[in-house]
Amino acid sequence: MIRSRIIGFERALPPVTVTNDDLAKMVETSDEWISSRTGIRKRHLVSDQNTSDLCIIAAEKLLEKAGWDSLSVDLIILGTVSPDYTTPSTACLVQNALGCKNAFCFDIAAACSGFIYSLSVADKFIKNGGVKRAIVLGGETLSKITDWSDRSTCVLFGDGAGGVLLEAAEEGGILYEDIHSDGSKAMALTAGYRANKSPFYKAEPKNDEFIDMNGREVFTFATRKVPESIKKVLEESKTSMDDIKYVVLHQANTRINEVIARKLKAPHEKFYTNIDRIGNTSGASVPIALAEMNEEGLLHKGDKILISGFGGGLTWATMLIEL
Ligand code: ACO
């Protein structure tokens, strides 16, 4: 059976960092409120870049470190809910910048689960035999869909991108996955509604371009569904938590991730966290965390890790990977 093996991890963060104290000068909040409720102390925000710019930097590093010829890439998938354009896809912009002329390219909109949804789709193309090499990215510039006067959301998010290379292999790679959506809770987390400005449009125009969230509902959803999903992956793959080196959860909120760890009765040290420095970067958070773990020397060939994303849609997805 063909497997999809991950052979590189990279990230790109914008150079500007914004602390909680910086935000406290803009809206009525404090470092104490933000850090105690979310674990976030600072975040990177773009000053002149878009989602494609960050993704291009991450993808260039991936190709360079792996020594892949850009023409050898068959597929580029990019998870984002803050693309540069509706069309072209951000993945096509990355393709052009990298000269990956032989790749077919598209974006996936699954919010904070977007990177794992993208990995899942790339994995199927590889398993079907049509694709040998893929670039899978998660990138966001959430700052452009954030209402900077809304203290309940503007303190949460950051900008960034991360990604991996996937290659057809004989063993290891993506071993098992569990993926879900629940559109009945779609309105718990929304962003980017586009008003119809056509002269023929007669309904009341709705203006809802910024992130809007029912924080409690999202908290309840994540702390219920993510442990269920991780348990299912472990049970069905006949893997024990003892076999897992790290669990890399979407970095939404430290308190969510602490509840998930408690429900799984798993040691705290298995859960990588960087939300204090990066904030919530939605679809970029898992690949950014993986790239940082790799830089810190935490990831080794043969290690089994779990990755899990959850967010807008609502969507959630867990994957068991052997490095
Ligand atoms: N600074 C100070 N006060 C604030 C701030 C802020 N930044 N934001 C909200 N408040 C106030 C509210 O106005 C409210 O005041 P009031 O009681 O006078 O009306 C009070 O704090 C409590 O507001 P809640 O929204 O109920 O705050 P809560 O304690 O629930 O914490 C939070 C909000 C941290 C977002 C919480 O709901 C949560 O952890 N939700 C999980 C969802 C999440 O983290 N989402 C991230 C994005 S989605 C994703 O990635 C999956």
Side-chain angles (χ1 to χ4, degrees):
M1 182 186 179
I2 306 173
R3 298 263 180 204
S4 310
R5 180 150 230 148
I6 298 182
I7 62 153
F9 307 88
E10 292 298 336
R11 72 181 185 341
L13 295 169
V16 174
T17 56
V18 175
T19 64
N20 292 345
D21 286 334
D22 293 331
L23 294 180
K25 292 180 195 140
M26 293 167 43
V27 288
E28 206 183 322
T29 190
S30 65
D31 178 47
E32 199 283 324
W33 195 98
I34 302 168
S35 54
S36 65
R37 297 272 201 312
T38 69
I40 300 167
R41 295 194 174 274
K42 58 182 182 180
R43 69 288 288 145
H44 292 252
L45 296 175
V46 289
S47 50
D48 59 0
Q49 293 164 299
N50 211 328
T51 300
S52 65
D53 299 308
L54 299 173
C55 290
I56 288 164
I57 295 170
E60 274 172 348
K61 286 198 274 183
L62 282 166
L63 291 189
E64 194 188 312
K65 292 235 176 102
W68 280 14
D69 181 341
S70 52
L71 296 177
S72 72
V73 177
D74 305 309
L75 168 66
I76 302 174
I77 309 186
L78 197 157
T80 187
V81 286
S82 48
D84 294 24
Y85 301 93
T86 304
T87 189
S89 70
T90 313
C92 279
L93 300 176
V94 173
Q95 176 204 27
N96 185 47
L98 266 59
C100 296
K101 290 185 184 164
N102 297 321
F104 64 102
C105 313
F106 55 95
D107 292 354
I108 286 186
C112 310
S113 315
F115 173 72
I116 300 175
Y117 269 58
S118 301
L119 268 184
S120 171
V121 175
D123 179 47
K124 306 302 174 296
F125 278 112
I126 288 177
K127 283 183 174 149
N128 283 344
V131 164
K132 297 264 182 299
R133 288 183 159 183
I135 304 175
V136 181
L137 300 157
E140 306 283 7
T141 45
L142 296 172
S143 54
K144 69 189 182 197
I145 51 169
T146 298
D147 177 353
W148 290 98
S149 65
D150 175 9
R151 67 178 181 172
S152 68
T153 53
C154 77
V155 301
L156 301 175
F157 301 103
D159 298 330
V164 300
L165 299 177
L166 275 192
E167 189 167 50
E170 280 169 12
E171 54 185 24
I174 296 168
L175 302 182
Y176 201 87
E177 67 182 21
D178 178 57
I179 300 198
H180 299 275
S181 309
D182 180 2
S184 74
K185 302 218 168 56
M187 292 302 122
L189 183 51
T190 60
Y193 187 86
R194 297 180 134 241
N196 189 335
K197 295 177 183 156
S198 148
F200 305 100
Y201 191 72
K202 297 297 174 216
E204 186 68 25
K206 188 164 87 162
N207 227 340
D208 223 356
E209 63 183 301
F210 297 126
I211 296 171
D212 186 46
M213 178 182 70
N214 180 334
R216 301 242 161 130
E217 193 169 355
V218 173
F219 194 101
T220 306
F221 144 73
T223 53
R224 185 175 302 154
K225 293 297 182 189
V226 177
E228 268 175 31
S229 175
I230 291 178
K231 280 181 192 164
K232 185 171 171 221
V233 166
L234 289 174
E235 269 167 35
E236 294 194 0
S237 64
K238 299 190 175 29
T239 307
S240 129
M241 191 49 103
D242 293 340
D243 302 326
I244 302 296
K245 187 83 181 287
Y246 289 105
V247 184
V248 186
L249 300 176
H250 165 49
Q251 304 285 300
N253 179 312
T254 301
R255 291 191 310 174
I256 292 181
N257 292 1
E258 283 171 354
V259 174
I260 293 171
R262 234 183 3 257
K263 286 194 171 177
L264 291 168
K265 298 189 179 67
H268 194 67
E269 311 79 69
K270 278 195 202 265
F271 290 77
Y272 185 81
T273 179
N274 62 9
I275 194 169
D276 55 326
R277 296 173 280 116
I278 310 285
N280 177 346
T281 55
S282 188
S285 81
V286 169
I288 290 173
L290 289 171
E292 296 202 336
M293 293 169 76
N294 193 42
E295 267 173 36
E296 290 166 28
L298 301 177
L299 303 180
H300 301 104
K301 195 160 189 278
D303 285 350
K304 283 188 179 160
I305 63 167
L306 283 166
I307 59 176
S308 192
F310 48 91
L314 296 174
T315 58
W316 62 107
T318 300
M319 228 172 223
L320 172 65
I321 294 168
E322 185 180 320
L323 297 176

